[in-house]
């Protein structure tokens, strides 16, 4: 596995931390990996975006 460094808005990381605290994910890394998997599956499932908008890219 490779290490990636990224910047995430504080509010979003706090929401990820909340998901870890409630047991939805074991740690932040796994939560972010799940989000990336979902994004890739969304892209892969349709071949192309039908609306040309990335719903997962909201800030």
């Amino acid at each position: 596995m490779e290490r990636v460094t990224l910047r995430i808005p504080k509010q979003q990381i706090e929401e990820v931390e909340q998901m870890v605290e409630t047991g939805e994910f074991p740690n932040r890394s796994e939560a972010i990996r799940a989000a990336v998997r979902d994004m890739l599956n969304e892209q892969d499932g349709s071949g192309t975006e039908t609306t040309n908008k990335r719903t997962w890219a909201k800030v």
Side-chain angles (χ1 to χ4, degrees), residues 25-39:
F25 293 97
N27 54 54
R28 289 192 303 193
S29 293
E30 187 53 42
I32 293 168
R33 280 193 290 270
V36 170
R37 279 192 302 271
D38 288 350
M39 177 191 66

Side-chain angles (χ1 to χ4, degrees), residues 4-56:
V4 175
T5 303
L6 64 147
R7 292 181 169 276
I8 299 174
K10 185 177 181 178
Q11 180 182 354
Q12 290 177 346
I13 208 64
E14 288 171 352
E15 291 179 33
V16 170
E17 286 289 346
Q18 182 66 31
M19 295 169 91
V20 171
E21 289 174 12
T22 59
E24 191 169 341
F25 293 97
N27 54 54
R28 289 192 303 193
S29 293
E30 187 53 42
I32 293 168
R33 280 193 290 270
V36 170
R37 279 192 302 271
D38 288 350
M39 177 191 66
L40 294 173
N41 288 338
E42 180 181 306
Q43 291 280 308
D44 196 33
S46 64
T48 58
E49 290 285 324
T50 57
T51 63
N52 291 329
K53 291 184 181 180
R54 293 183 175 129
T55 58
W56 44 264

